[in-house]
Amino acid sequence: MTHLLDTIPAAAPAGPPVARAAPRPGAGLLLPLALLSPSLVFLALFTYWPVAEVVWDATHEVTRRGTRFVGLANFTALFADPTFQRALLNNALYAIGTVVPSLVLALAFALALNGAGRVRAMMRAVFFLPVMIPLVAAAALFLFLFLPGIGLIDYHLARLGLPGANWLGDPDLALGAITVLTVWKNAGYYMLFILAGLQAIPDEAREAALLDGAGPWQRLRFVTLPALRPTFAFVGVIALLNAVTQVDHVFVLTKGGPSDATKLLLFYIYEQAAERYDAGRAAAATVVTLGLLAALTTLSLARGQGPEAAR
Amino acid sequence: MISWWKGAALALAAVAGLAAPRPAFATDIELFFPVPVDGALARNMTGLIKEFNDSHPDIKATPVFTGSYDDTLLKTRAAIKAGKPPAAVIMSANFLTDLSIEREIAPMDDLIAKDGKSPEAFMGQFFPAILPNAVIDRKVYGVPFHNSTPLLYINADHFKEAGLDPDKPPRTWAELYDAARKLTRREGDRTTRWGLMMPSNYDYGGWILEALTMSNGGQYYNQDYGGEVYYDTPTMLGALTFWSDLVHKAKVHPAGEQKGPAVTGAFLAGQASMMIISTGSLTFIRDTAKFPFKVAFVPMNVRQAVPIGGASLVQPTGLSPEKRTAGWTLIQWLTSPKTSGWWSRATGYFAPNKAAYDLPEMKAFLEKNPDARIAVDQLANAQPWFATYRTVPVRKAIEDELQAVLSGKRQPKEALVAAQKAADALMRPYVEDTALRLPGAE
Amino acid sequence: MSAPVQSGPVTREITPHIARWVVAGLALVWAVPFWWMLVAAFRPAGSGADASLLPSLTPTLANFAEAWASADFPLYFLNSS
């Protein structure tokens, strides 16, 4: 095991160090390259080639009269498009609205359901159930829940004498409705990670806090949460990625409407590419989205792991 | 989250099913079909294709369900790009213009000629109102499969209850407005029953708005040229303001976007007394409604006029000659009077093939279901369906604004100005390449 | 796994108890869509109580037969795999 781990850092910095160490540069490189080549081929084919293609698309304009290089014009047009601005805002609201409540709820579920017992196991299963069905199926289910007047929610509101709402058809409510579905779908998934994180907290830390007379909130604040910090960094990134990359329910429930109220970035890209045939605009939006995601991921992972590493 | 072995077993079963006995030299073709309205359309289609395969041993057709009309367009384009075009597609009739501009579907004139017919004689089988959406630049791009018009459905019990005569449904906007007010029921600030509901989701909303605009004397779009829509016009302003007033002034129509199934659901649950939806839902409503209902022409303001809806069978470009011929056999079978009539009775869509109505089973059916007769009669008022370059986004440009108006976010006039601007921008590449491509430039 | 942890001074604290009841309530909310799906799947068509959460007194399997017959399930499975 140690032997294997030792060799990995040596292999990671590629060309120069190896080349300097070996007497015959060609022979030293040949074997690692040969061994790496299958992965490199696939990496090039499925990762770098599409990236190159997107960058090419983003800097070109395809019209009925031909294709030409336009530099950053697609990006200028993109940022000037009010629909894209709306999609950016929607996605930001959606990310905050799904990530924060999902994580808070996941923590609450995990804290309450950590440990043995039949009831706890059953409740864990209930929270995990939504994770097991595809997002499309969950959306189809919620389509009926949200149906105005006759759906599950409005029907029961009416029985209580309360006015219902057009949950998916009102531009002020639609994004909220989509958010509720996402929280319902994902909280149980994040709960799983936090449960694992809780298992890793040594009992001694908890006992020591109890001996010091710490109350439940103090234990949460000073023992549990600090220990869960790396878990949260990881789950936070997953939740953030989900908020940008999962839009199946938008297709089923609203198709980006009403009046762009649920237009998320990925749906915007899909519309530009598939409905408007505007490959340049779609590629530019893809580049911007990927850039944003990369920046946010780096930031939250660095913040989550920095202090932990120092400790 | 199916375990791998279970998945493997299912896949195996599926493969075994597909490899079931079939003739050795059958031509394999695919038919892409959408399900745009409520009802058991997918099931009916599966049965229909089975019947076709049984009677045509040299062809093995596979029906592929492709979702809504919009989804079917996307999936067809994806299949063409992937080099695997289906041999026939039941395509929303208003996408044919865009597909022919992009040369993604092939004219069928040569196939018609091979059968020894002239295109005029062949298309003469169908109701003339449908032809402008199928014959483009004098070439036959589609064969009408099932067609519809918007129709007014009323709950006869509610009409009697409100002191209205169910045998005299509203004929004008004024009568519609009036009836809707009398039919609406409230408990405090909660509306328990809406006088009228009309769908405003993508695809449906634009169609209903077109019906109102045409009833108001409007054209909606340039029927002869794919680069013009008439969104910012008085006829359209009247139509959109009427719908907006039903929601915000009279409060007889719910606010916000309403999906098709929500409208039919509310009508069937007795929470809406009238609705304007497609004739394609007629059979579903007839089979499901537990109260007497009546149908009538869409009420008018200036003239009686409605757009057609529905779908035509098209063939993508790039098919092998064998598949093209096999697809053509399927298309002819599906649009024959007999099949066309059966599908009409199963769904409520009217049969575009006029001869279908001469068949004894169709006569007996209309005798028993006079509501289906009204749907056919309205064809006399039918106009072609909105079709331009980039039909879907151009249509969404007005639908987004329609939804904003129904939600109280925009005034009708500013909505139409915005929609016109967005639509013009979308069609500009085509316009610059056609109507504005002038001698002397460049 | 860590059941003994629950003994000792924890039982005298009120906050974790309240939290557990809140989470139990949320578990009910989480289960509602699934419960409704089950109830609706066995409800006879056209009974007019589609949004009710009470199970039908005359449960039926007809919906499953209908769903199976209306779609080419093996084919869909193949397409989505």
Side-chain angles (χ1 to χ4, degrees):
Chain A
M1 200 60 200
T2 36
H3 169 72
L4 194 72
L5 282 173
D6 288 342
T7 59
I8 288 171
V18 180
R20 219 180 296 126
R24 279 169 302 162
L29 263 174
L30 214 58
L31 186 64
L33 266 181
L35 290 174
L36 278 174
S37 61
S39 328
L40 282 179
V41 165
F42 276 99
L43 203 64
L45 214 59
F46 294 107
T47 308
Y48 298 133
W49 176 245
V51 168
E53 221 172 30
V54 166
V55 170
W56 191 91
D57 279 344
T59 49
H60 286 74
E61 187 189 37
V62 183
T63 62
R64 296 171 60 80
R65 298 191 186 182
T67 305
R68 64 192 182 99
F69 178 76
V70 292
L72 294 177
N74 281 328
F75 290 90
T76 324
L78 178 71
F79 284 109
D81 182 357
T83 313
F84 178 68
Q85 295 164 8
R86 183 72 201 264
L88 264 179
L89 175 72
N90 282 343
N91 224 138
L93 290 174
Y94 176 72
I96 296 167
T98 54
V99 174
V100 175
S102 310
L103 290 190
V104 171
L105 282 169
L107 176 68
F109 298 165
L111 286 173
L113 305 179
N114 187 25
R118 212 174 268 175
V119 179
R120 282 187 187 166
M122 212 184 73
M123 273 160 59
R124 281 199 298 264
V126 165
F127 288 124
F128 194 70
L129 219 49
V131 182
M132 310 217 294
I133 60 170
L135 188 51
V136 179
L141 190 55
F142 272 63
L143 191 62
F144 186 81
L145 258 70
F146 287 134
L147 219 53
I150 47 178
L152 196 62
I153 297 176
D154 277 9
Y155 173 82
H156 286 94
L157 283 177
R159 292 187 63 171
L160 297 171
L162 295 168
N166 189 354
W167 303 104
L168 295 170
D170 184 333
D172 292 336
L173 298 176
L175 191 62
I178 300 262
T179 306
V180 166
L181 162 59
T182 311
V183 171
W184 176 83
K185 177 92 175 66
N186 289 343
Y189 184 52
Y190 308 143
M191 171 190 76
L192 220 58
F193 291 99
I194 299 178
L195 277 170
L198 287 176
Q199 304 278 319
I201 300 177
D203 283 344
E204 296 84 52
R206 213 180 108 85
E207 281 156 19
L210 277 172
L211 283 177
D212 286 346
W217 289 110
Q218 284 168 309
R219 291 203 302 279
L220 179 67
R221 167 88 179 72
F222 296 108
V223 178
T224 314
L225 283 184
L228 283 178
R229 209 182 162 116
T231 310
F232 267 105
F234 172 71
V235 177
V237 168
I238 300 228
L240 200 66
L241 289 176
N242 278 346
V244 177
T245 57
Q246 301 207 337
V247 292
D248 309 27
H249 49 335
V250 175
F251 280 85
V252 176
L253 294 175
T254 61
K255 299 198 190 297
S259 311
D260 293 340
T262 57
K263 197 154 285 168
L264 301 180
L265 284 170
L266 203 58
F267 197 87
Y268 175 85
I269 293 169
Y270 154 82
E271 253 184 2
Q272 296 299 325
E275 277 185 13
R276 304 195 169 199
Y277 273 28
D278 194 339
R281 179 82 61 90
T286 308
V287 170
V288 171
T289 307
L290 286 180
L292 267 176
L293 267 185
L296 283 170
T297 308
T298 317
L299 198 73
S300 51
L301 281 182
R303 274 176 56 94
Q305 282 181 343
E308 173 64 16
R311 202 170 294 137
Chain B
M1 299 277 163
I2 298 175
S3 64
W4 71 268
W5 57 268
K6 209 171 175 185
L10 267 167
L12 245 163
V15 171
L18 288 177
R22 58 173 143 141
F25 301 108
T27 307
D28 277 305
I29 55 169
E30 284 185 328
L31 167 74
F32 280 14
F33 75 98
V35 173
V37 295
D38 309 278
L41 266 65
R43 183 182 192 165
N44 293 332
M45 182 54 75
T46 311
L48 209 55
I49 295 301
K50 193 174 175 304
E51 202 181 317
F52 172 80
N53 284 334
D54 289 347
S55 57
H56 295 78
D58 53 335
I59 301 173
K60 167 82 170 52
T62 310
V64 180
F65 170 56
T66 42
S68 69
Y69 279 151
D70 287 7
D71 294 340
T72 300
L73 175 66
L74 284 177
K75 284 176 186 163
T76 304
R77 285 185 154 156
I80 292 172
K81 270 193 183 159
K84 285 180 173 176
V89 184
I90 297 177
M91 183 68 72
S92 180
N94 67 333
F95 296 159
L96 268 59
T97 299
D98 194 18
L99 286 163
S100 69
I101 288 174
E102 301 286 0
R103 297 201 173 83
E104 289 165 318
I105 51 172
M108 301 168 178
D109 298 61
D110 57 326
L111 294 165
I112 296 170
K114 220 186 272 172
D115 296 339
K117 275 188 207 151
S118 73
E120 289 76 23
F122 180 78
M123 292 309 276
Q125 310 175 68
F126 304 103
F127 286 106
I130 306 158
L131 300 186
N133 282 120
V135 183
I136 298 155
D137 291 336
R138 301 194 181 186
K139 290 195 198 85
V140 177
Y141 278 98
V143 185
F145 172 65
H146 64 193
N147 290 91
S148 59
T149 50
L151 202 61
L152 175 69
Y153 295 66
I154 64 163
N155 182 322
D157 285 347
H158 289 185
F159 260 60
K160 280 184 208 149
E161 215 180 282
L164 295 161
D165 184 356
D167 291 322
K168 286 192 184 131
R171 284 165 305 143
T172 64
W173 286 9
E175 288 175 15
L176 182 70
Y177 196 84
D178 205 45
R181 285 172 76 125
K182 284 181 183 151
L183 289 161
T184 303
R185 291 277 175 277
R186 291 178 227 281
E187 276 173 22
D189 60 344
R190 200 165 68 84
T191 306
T192 52
R193 184 209 284 169
W194 297 101
L196 173 67
M197 278 176 85
M198 298 185 276
S200 49
N201 56 318
Y202 292 124
D203 198 14
Y204 228 144
W207 193 54
I208 298 292
L209 187 61
E210 187 178 357
L212 294 178
T213 304
M214 286 181 162
S215 309
N216 206 21
Q219 294 288 345
Y220 204 86
Y221 76 107
N222 187 335
Q223 295 179 11
D224 299 316
Y225 173 60
E228 274 177 5
V229 289
Y230 308 134
Y231 288 167
D232 188 14
T233 53
T235 48
M236 195 123 174
L237 181 63
L240 185 57
T241 309
F242 176 58
W243 201 341
S244 169
D245 285 352
L246 287 166
V247 173
H248 302 298
K249 240 191 218 165
K251 298 194 194 311
V252 296
H253 182 298
E257 177 231 34
Q258 303 291 332
K259 295 181 202 311
V263 173
T264 48
F267 182 76
L268 290 169
Q271 291 187 6
S273 301
M274 299 188 283
M275 62 173 177
I276 296 181
I277 57 158
S278 168
T279 50
S281 295
L282 188 52
T283 300
F284 171 69
I285 299 289
R286 191 189 298 129
D287 292 346
T288 321
K290 282 194 288 296
F291 50 84
F293 77 96
K294 291 235 151 62
V295 299
F297 290 1
V298 170
M300 59 161 225
N301 197 38
V302 172
R303 60 164 177 167
Q304 277 191 329
V306 283
I308 63 136
S312 294
L313 278 147
V314 299
Q315 284 199 308
T317 45
L319 283 168
S320 71
E322 304 84 65
K323 291 205 182 217
R324 194 158 176 253
T325 314
W328 177 242
T329 309
L330 175 63
I331 288 174
Q332 282 182 299
W333 186 81
L334 282 172
T335 55
S336 67
K338 193 170 162 288
T339 320
S340 194
W342 183 85
W343 184 256
S344 165
R345 294 191 295 278
T347 58
Y349 282 98
F350 62 78
N353 198 319
K354 288 185 281 187
Y357 292 93
D358 298 332
L359 297 172
E361 63 262 33
M362 200 67 173
K363 282 182 175 156
F365 176 80
L366 289 179
E367 193 74 35
K368 225 177 99 194
N369 300 288
D371 47 6
R373 163 59 62 193
I374 290 173
V376 182
D377 286 349
Q378 194 176 225
L379 265 179
N381 309 328
Q383 303 278 329
W385 189 5
F386 158 73
T388 62
Y389 173 73
R390 298 274 197 271
T391 306
V392 174
V394 170
R395 193 198 68 216
K396 277 188 165 178
I398 186 72
E399 286 171 330
D400 276 328
E401 295 299 329
L402 165 70
Q403 293 167 357
V405 167
L406 296 180
S407 309
K409 300 264 167 208
R410 283 250 211 206
Q411 288 305 311
K413 176 64 188 173
E414 55 172 345
L416 291 180
V417 172
Q420 184 74 53
K421 200 176 146 216
D424 286 345
L426 281 164
M427 293 183 293
R428 190 163 302 133
Y430 178 66
V431 173
E432 278 172 0
D433 207 31
T434 52
L436 291 179
R437 187 173 203 172
L438 306 173
E442 282 177 50
Chain C
M1 232 158 87
S2 52
V5 174
Q6 295 316 317
S7 59
V10 183
T11 43
R12 267 181 272 125
E13 288 172 344
I14 192 90
T15 321
H17 267 292
I18 297 176
R20 250 170 245 136
W21 280 109
V22 170
V23 168
L26 283 172
L28 277 183
V29 173
W30 245 246
V32 164
F34 284 107
W35 172 250
W36 172 79
M37 187 169 68
L38 269 180
V39 167
F42 291 99
R43 190 187 303 288
S47 68
D50 292 339
S52 172
L53 285 172
L54 301 174
S56 168
L57 294 174
T58 51
T60 171
L61 288 172
N63 294 325
F64 292 93
E66 171 75 25
W68 183 260
S70 69
D72 210 333
F73 266 100
L75 191 64
Y76 288 158
F77 182 81
L78 204 66
N79 286 341
S80 64
S81 57

